[in-house]
Amino acid sequence: MTMDTPTGALQIVEVTKRFGKTTAVDDLSLTIPEGSFFAILGPSGCGKSTTLRMVAGLERPTSGRIFLGERDITDLRPHHRPLNTVFQNYALFPHLNVFENVAFGLRERRQKDIAAKVETILELVQLPGYGDRKPAQLSGGQQQRVALARAIVNEPQVLLLDEPLGALDLRLRRQMQIELKRIQTEVGLTFVLVTHDQEEALTLADTIAVMHDGRLEQLGSPVELYENPRTAFVANFLGTSNLLSGEVGERRDDALVADVAGHRIVVPADRNHAPPSGRIYVGVRPEKLHITTEESQVPADHNAIQGQVVDASFTGIGTQYQVRLPWGQEVMAFAQNLSAGIRLAAGEQVTLHWDVAHTFALDGAEEAPLAPTAKDTVGARP
Ligand code: ATP
């Protein structure tokens, strides 16, 4: 523990968890500041639930320690930890009404003013007057809000949320995300959310830890992770990226000039995460690409490549283009529906160009993620 550790921060220090031969979590270190909304994001099996379960005390780390503020909580029993967990299957007591479900923890701890506390919390989750209902008389979203109320009423230092909205349909899920963010802002507790839903993490969290194969892949704000991914995995797990194979060309102080099939592509130095030499990926997001048939309109300081439109799909908010580059690779470009302008059709020769600042470079040795296709952006941003 260093002296500058913020009070109340949750710290995971060099934690490893093995189940037999499986390493579920591999030397993970994270600091989760007090009062933040922190998301652990990753695909199924990356170790995110195991991480949360170790914080909750439901699993013991094979090695490493967990601190809450100055206190080492690694060996504390789950119910002695100042935390609460909300799981996907809300596990409300079916025989108790909403009021008694929420009051349960307060009664156990012999708290005063139980009725007032429960009413306040039910207002917070927008269920005033629902105290007499049984869980079976509530919708999924309402049950989930009761589960949240039951966790928050105990005023834990940290609230752990393991895919809490996983059982809800998409519409309700989006609605609950807004609720969750509002509640977190209002109560100011530390929320640690585990999810495989990139949009959920981007929408809710102040900071996201992307996990892959038990390891921390990248840590940062939603904007940092989206705009400046450090690995091909992050570039394609959060949204969609076009990754072009190339080589390190010229190195300047402020930029790398990559060679992509004979095209000079400029990458700002602070977005260059490629090794000093050899194969690299040059990346750019679909919505950062401009598409034009007028080559003369391309600003001189933009990166540019010619191609041919192979597919144009109108999606309402814009048009999604699939463009084949001279060496056969297809990339995706997204043009916002800003005016009733001409939409390009399949077969047209075009120039794709983009601001240098929107280019990033990654290690080309990482397994090539699949080229993005139209279906990849369903439910994703933009
Ligand atoms: P999901 O989103 O599918 O829950 P996850 O990212 O939360 O995935 P974990 O549940 O943490 O992943 O699992 C990480 C790895 O550890 C997986 O390979 C899993 O099979 C393994 N694992 C988890 N719990 C156990 C256990 N009790 N015994 C053996 N292996 C386990």
Side-chain angles (χ1 to χ4, degrees):
M1 296 282 285
T2 54
M3 289 308 286
D4 56 5
T5 304
T7 23
L10 177 64
Q11 286 212 95
I12 297 170
V13 184
E14 294 166 12
V15 164
T16 292
K17 176 67 185 179
R18 290 194 198 90
F19 296 104
K21 285 185 183 150
T22 308
T23 303
V25 176
D26 191 2
D27 194 22
L28 181 72
S29 292
L30 284 177
T31 297
I32 300 171
E34 185 175 13
S36 66
F37 201 137
F38 193 95
I40 302 177
L41 173 71
S44 181
C46 73
K48 53 194 189 302
S49 293
T50 303
T51 302
L52 205 74
R53 289 172 60 79
M54 288 190 286
V55 174
L58 303 169
E59 299 284 357
R60 257 195 77 83
T62 309
S63 62
R65 311 300 299 175
I66 300 171
F67 297 88
L68 191 52
E70 298 293 310
R71 193 168 175 206
D72 184 338
I73 61 167
T74 322
D75 301 319
L76 282 187
R77 300 245 186 112
H79 58 278
H80 288 145
R81 300 185 183 207
L83 340 134
N84 246 307
T85 312
V86 178
F87 295 102
Q88 182 179 133
N89 46 350
Y90 341 107
L92 297 176
F93 302 117
H95 58 289
L96 297 183
N97 65 21
V98 168
F99 183 96
E100 288 304 329
N101 262 284
V102 176
F104 190 82
L106 298 175
R107 291 205 197 287
E108 278 214 317
R109 290 183 297 120
R110 302 182 192 288
Q111 296 276 302
K112 293 201 179 99
D113 302 325
I114 288 178
K117 283 182 180 152
V118 172
E119 278 315 315
T120 307
I121 289 290
L122 286 179
E123 298 229 347
L124 181 73
V125 299
Q126 299 188 340
L127 288 174
Y130 279 72
D132 293 336
R133 298 244 197 138
K134 290 279 175 63
Q137 296 169 310
L138 300 173
S139 73
Q142 289 168 337
Q143 288 183 37
Q144 189 60 341
R145 278 185 269 163
V146 176
L148 265 178
R150 196 176 60 168
I152 293 169
V153 81
N154 296 317
E155 296 175 28
Q157 261 176 280
V158 180
L159 188 65
L160 306 173
L161 302 145
D162 193 352
E163 304 268 5
L165 311 179
L168 307 178
D169 68 43
L170 192 66
R171 209 182 179 81
L172 197 53
R173 202 179 162 109
R174 297 287 172 252
Q175 213 176 316
M176 281 296 295
Q177 285 170 1
I178 297 167
E179 292 278 289
L180 206 55
K181 182 81 185 170
R182 180 184 60 81
I183 292 168
Q184 195 268 341
T185 315
E186 252 169 67
V187 296
L189 298 174
T190 310
F191 277 32
V192 184
L193 169 76
V194 156
T195 182
H196 66 272
D197 179 339
Q198 46 118 357
E199 188 166 339
E200 188 157 298
L202 287 172
T203 314
L204 291 174
D206 312 319
T207 309
I208 303 175
V210 181
M211 282 186 75
H212 183 204
D213 286 344
R215 285 175 298 102
L216 176 65
E217 187 86 6
Q218 191 175 344
L219 177 78
S221 71
V223 173
E224 276 162 13
L225 292 180
Y226 188 83
E227 301 292 349
N228 197 1
R230 289 173 175 271
T231 66
F233 178 82
V234 174
N236 274 326
F237 194 75
L238 276 134
T240 306
S241 295
N242 294 303
L243 298 181
L244 313 175
S245 277
E247 280 173 29
V248 173
E250 185 195 338
R251 248 171 210 294
R252 304 199 306 234
D253 276 353
D254 61 339
L256 162 79
V257 184
D259 177 340
V260 175
H263 297 72
R264 283 165 49 87
I265 305 291
V266 182
V267 184
D270 62 350
R271 287 171 184 249
N272 175 19
H273 310 297
S277 62
R279 305 296 304 167
I280 63 171
Y281 288 122
V282 169
V284 60
R285 299 279 188 185
E287 75 279 11
K288 302 292 185 355
L289 291 175
H290 299 276
I291 183 167
T292 179
T293 51
E294 307 283 329
E295 212 181 330
S296 59
Q297 287 183 355
V298 177
D301 58 354
H302 270 200
N303 286 322
I305 297 180
Q306 277 76 36
Q308 183 179 34
V309 175
V310 291
D311 185 60
S313 340
F314 181 59
T315 63
I317 58 162
T319 303
Q320 203 161 275
Y321 293 103
Q322 205 67 26
V323 177
R324 187 175 297 130
L325 303 179
W327 57 94
Q329 182 179 357
E330 288 185 10
V331 294
M332 187 194 288
F334 185 83
Q336 238 187 303
N337 186 7
L338 293 171
S339 66
I342 310 154
R343 276 188 269 281
L344 302 168
E348 293 211 59
Q349 293 296 327
V350 292
T351 301
L352 292 173
H353 62 100
W354 67 97
D355 195 325
V356 163
H358 294 144
T359 323
F360 48 87
L362 309 170
D363 187 347
E366 202 178 323
E367 195 182 319
L370 294 174
T373 59
K375 70 171 176 38
D376 289 336
T377 53
V378 172
R381 295 186 166 190

